[in-house]
């Protein structure tokens, strides 16, 4: 019955044993090779795409392109980094792409408006096709600190002054930080302020302050203020009574943050939900489903880049702030925010409800 060895034929039982031994040997050899390939060789010869949710030339684009020049040197195999723009719907297009269509092998990252991932839970789900906690967050180059600043002549130097004095606050439009944060302050703390909308951008808001059309602005990026309007501080043309951030900026150790203002636990939670986007001002994320070891590699490379002397020198030369937040911290923040109780989410939405704005051509002198 062919049970003895004849040429290459083995007895059935012996053949089964031989196959099992061969398979075990193959696994023993392949396992270390596979682990080494994942850890050290996967990215060799590869290209990592970094997608930007806005067009060329803006802040997000500049941050991404600068990161792209240094990130690859901190990844084993030194892959090429290619930055590509995918603008659309205030960066919602790239967020949807990253969640639903991007390759899930660790070769695609994206950066986008920090606030876009909050829109669905804050009652603006139109067009959103993603679940923010399921992204693999790689890190943020900066955690933004914004401030409220007022013309010095208005005598608003402290939070108590903001509570006591009527003010006109300039804003660039619905959804911008300059509009969102004064709305939150007015609604949550019953401040006697009115918001003047319609200014095209930050430069126009500064001119409006200088002309006395408005008393001040809230949601003014501290980095932008220092880079472009430092003279207003040094010449004491403006006062800064409040920071809008989760933690105090090292430049402003004596100025309270919005999170330090007296509320109650429920309002604190709603306020943290709204302000927490400041903690991830320049976020980078990978799609869901990427192997954990690849995410660990990307996070480690991101962290190393944030300490790279050449990267830091270039960022300083560009006037770009580096105050990094690690990927694991952003991941935890996203999980916490999206697990907020329904009553906290409702309150956050109520806090963000806007009243009819004042227009720049008719600011309403009765407020003073």
């Amino acid at each position: 019955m062919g049970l003895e060895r004849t040429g290459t034929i083995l007895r059935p039982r012996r053949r089964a044993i031989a196959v099992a031994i061969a398979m075990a040997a193959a696994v023993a050899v392949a396992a270390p090779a596979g682990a080494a390939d994942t850890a050290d060789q996967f990215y060799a010869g590869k290209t990592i795409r970094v997608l930007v949710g806005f067009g060329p030339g803006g802040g997000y684009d500049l941050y991404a392109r600068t990161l792209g020049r240094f990130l690859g040197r901190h990844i084993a195999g030194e892959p090429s980094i290619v930055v590509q723009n995918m603008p659309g719907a205030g960066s919602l297009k790239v967020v949807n792409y990253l969640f639903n269509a991007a390759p899930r092998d660790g070769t695609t990252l994206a950066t986008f408006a920090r606030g876009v991932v909050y829109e669905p839970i804050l009652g603006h789900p139109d067009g959103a096709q993603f679940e923010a906690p399921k992204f693999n967050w790689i890190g943020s180059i900066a955690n933004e600190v914004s401030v409220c600043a007022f013309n010095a002549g208005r005598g608003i130097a402290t939070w108590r002054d903001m509570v006591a004095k009527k003010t006109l606050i300039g804003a660039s439009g619905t959804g911008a930080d300059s509009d969102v944060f004064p709305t939150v302050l007015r609604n949550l703390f019953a401040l006697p302020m009115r918001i003047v909308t319609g200014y095209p951008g930050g430069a126009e808001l500064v001119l409006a302050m200088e002309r006395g059309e408005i008393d001040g602005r809230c949601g003014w990026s501290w980095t932008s203020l220092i880079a472009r309007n430092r003279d207003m501080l040094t010449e004491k043309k403006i006062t800064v009574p409040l920071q809008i951030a989760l933690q105090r900026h090292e430049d402003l150790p004596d100025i309270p943050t919005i999170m330090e203002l007296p509320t109650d636990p429920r309002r604190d939670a709603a306020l943290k939900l709204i302000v927490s986007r400041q903690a991830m001002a320049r976020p980078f994320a990978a799609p869901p489903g990427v192997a954990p070891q690849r995410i660990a590699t990307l996070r480690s490379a991101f962290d190393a880049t944030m300490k790279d002397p050449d990267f830091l020198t270039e960022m300083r030369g560009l006037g770009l702030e580096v105050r990094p937040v690690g990927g694991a911290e952003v991941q935890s923040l996203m999980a916490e925010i999206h697990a907020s109780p329904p009553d906290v989410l409702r309150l956050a939405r109520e806090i963000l409800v806007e009243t009819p704005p004042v227009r720049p051509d008719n600011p309403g002198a009765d407020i003073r």
Side-chain angles (χ1 to χ4, degrees), residues 48-300:
I48 296 177
R49 289 193 306 158
V50 180
L51 305 176
V52 183
F54 297 94
Y60 285 93
D61 184 64
L62 189 55
Y63 268 90
R65 291 185 185 279
T66 309
L67 175 71
R69 286 194 285 276
F70 297 92
L71 182 66
R73 68 168 65 170
H74 298 288
I75 299 175
E78 297 193 15
S80 300
I81 309 293
V82 175
V83 178
Q84 299 176 335
N85 299 91
M86 188 183 286
S91 77
L92 180 61
K93 178 179 178 180
V94 79
V95 176
N96 285 339
Y97 171 81
L98 188 70
F99 191 84
N100 295 289
R104 303 190 174 203
D105 61 354
T107 62
T108 304
L109 306 177
T111 184
F112 36 80
R114 59 183 176 265
V116 71
V117 294
Y118 287 78
E119 290 301 296
I121 62 172
L122 291 176
H124 307 102
D126 295 348
Q129 301 169 12
F130 63 86
E131 297 176 56
K134 291 186 178 180
F135 283 121
N136 284 293
W137 296 91
I138 305 304
S140 175
I141 295 180
N143 61 335
E144 187 69 87
V145 170
S146 296
V147 298
C148 289
F150 295 88
N151 285 327
R154 292 290 290 126
I156 302 173
T158 67
W159 168 247
R160 288 186 178 182
D161 295 331
M162 289 180 65
V163 173
K165 297 188 178 185
K166 296 179 179 180
T167 55
L168 278 176
I169 301 296
S172 59
T174 301
D177 283 358
S178 61
D179 178 66
V180 167
F181 291 125
T183 297
V184 169
L185 286 165
R186 182 189 58 197
N187 291 349
L188 188 57
F189 299 100
L191 297 190
M193 64 168 51
R194 294 180 71 184
I195 302 170
V196 185
T197 64
Y199 291 98
E204 291 78 12
L205 286 168
V206 170
L207 286 174
M209 288 179 66
E210 292 176 336
R211 295 191 192 112
E213 295 174 10
I214 57 176
D215 298 319
R217 54 188 289 200
C218 287
W220 191 352
S221 164
W222 178 248
T223 302
S224 176
L225 192 163
I226 291 299
R228 300 176 185 177
N229 304 105
R230 183 187 292 268
D231 61 310
M232 298 181 77
L233 277 173
T234 57
E235 297 173 16
K236 299 183 178 180
K237 294 179 179 179
I238 59 174
T239 58
V240 178
L242 184 69
Q243 300 183 59
I244 302 171
L246 296 181
Q247 297 177 335
R248 296 188 184 192
H249 194 287
E250 55 268 23
D251 292 348
L252 305 167
D254 300 323
I255 297 174
T257 72
I258 191 172
M259 297 304 302
E260 298 171 58
L261 302 179
T263 60
D264 57 58
R266 181 166 163 267
R267 289 188 171 195
D268 283 346
L271 191 56
K272 182 177 181 180
L273 191 156
I274 296 168
V275 177
S276 62
R277 62 181 178 173
Q278 297 291 87
M280 42 179 282
R282 304 292 175 179
F284 290 81
V290 179
Q293 62 268 32
R294 300 267 166 82
I295 297 303
T297 295
L298 292 169
R299 286 179 175 175
S300 177

Side-chain angles (χ1 to χ4, degrees), residues 295-347:
I295 297 303
T297 295
L298 292 169
R299 286 179 175 175
S300 177
F302 180 89
D303 293 344
T305 304
M306 296 302 101
K307 300 174 184 177
D308 186 322
D310 295 335
F311 170 77
L312 294 172
T313 297
E314 183 157 342
M315 292 292 281
R316 281 194 295 270
L318 293 168
L320 300 177
E321 190 170 45
V322 178
R323 303 178 75 240
V325 182
E329 186 175 347
V330 177
Q331 197 86 46
S332 177
L333 177 64
M334 284 291 101
E336 178 185 352
I337 293 304
H338 283 74
S340 299
D343 62 326
V344 171
L345 292 174
R346 281 195 300 271
L347 179 57

Side-chain angles (χ1 to χ4, degrees), residues 344-368:
V344 171
L345 292 174
R346 281 195 300 271
L347 179 57
R349 293 167 186 167
E350 292 170 6
I351 293 170
L352 289 167
V353 171
E354 299 180 3
T355 57
V358 180
R359 305 299 300 179
D361 57 353
N362 182 26
D366 61 308
I367 190 70
R368 300 194 185 280

Side-chain angles (χ1 to χ4, degrees), residues 34-52:
D37 182 65
T38 298
D40 300 322
Q41 299 173 12
F42 171 77
Y43 283 107
K46 297 284 198 307
T47 296
I48 296 177
R49 289 193 306 158
V50 180
L51 305 176
V52 183

